[in-house]
Amino acid sequence: MPAFFNHTIIASVDRTVSAEFYRSILEAADAPSWGPFTNLSLAGGVMLQFAEPPVDIQMQHYAFLVDEPHFDRAYARLVSDGVEHWADPQMTRPGETNTEHGGRGVYFKDPSGHALELISKPYF
């Protein structure tokens, strides 16, 4: 059997707030939650688990591939919710999206400070 990505734990200041943010932007489905985890399900059986670790949270980068209609909806949510966003990972082009790699992309931060990226075309 080939390897498939199954799940990751996303460190959160407030796991409920973080899960709701991702649910809204990614249009993710609820998944059964247990113990210290609030879980969401993405396409392909990938699970995002949000937890509140007893350590300082270090920023991570998570990139998500969405289709064009989903990108439009997610970007509209970012704008309507006043989420600061950039066209580039260096955060030098605020309030913009990019059209590199034959699709669109946008960078923003989640409620715990993780760097998120939405792209409408894969890089390869």
Side-chain angles (χ1 to χ4, degrees):
M1 173 179 182
F4 291 92
F5 186 74
N6 182 260
H7 71 278
T8 192
I9 297 171
I10 299 174
S12 305
V13 174
D14 182 319
R15 66 185 181 158
T16 303
V17 169
S18 289
E20 183 54 40
F21 181 81
Y22 282 72
R23 181 184 297 107
S24 172
I25 297 300
L26 300 177
E27 300 175 358
D30 287 327
S33 297
W34 63 84
F37 304 112
T38 299
N39 300 326
L40 297 177
S41 177
L42 299 178
V46 173
M47 184 169 52
L48 301 179
Q49 297 185 284
F50 300 88
E52 300 163 4
V55 297
D56 289 335
I57 295 174
Q58 300 299 309
M59 183 189 74
Q60 299 294 313
H61 173 80
Y62 301 101
F64 298 94
L65 176 65
V66 298
D67 64 18
E68 290 288 339
H70 187 153
F71 189 96
D72 288 337
R73 293 188 302 273
Y75 186 69
R77 283 186 196 98
L78 293 173
V79 171
S80 70
D81 291 347
V83 175
E84 193 171 13
H85 59 280
W86 303 268
D88 61 322
Q90 297 80 20
M91 299 184 277
T92 63
R93 296 170 50 197
E96 298 178 34
T97 62
N98 70 59
T99 55
E100 283 91 40
H101 308 288
R104 293 186 292 162
V106 66
Y107 298 82
F108 54 99
K109 292 193 175 181
D110 80 358
S112 296
H114 296 300
L116 303 183
E117 176 183 5
L118 289 182
I119 54 175
S120 64
K121 297 283 184 193
Y123 290 138
F124 59 92

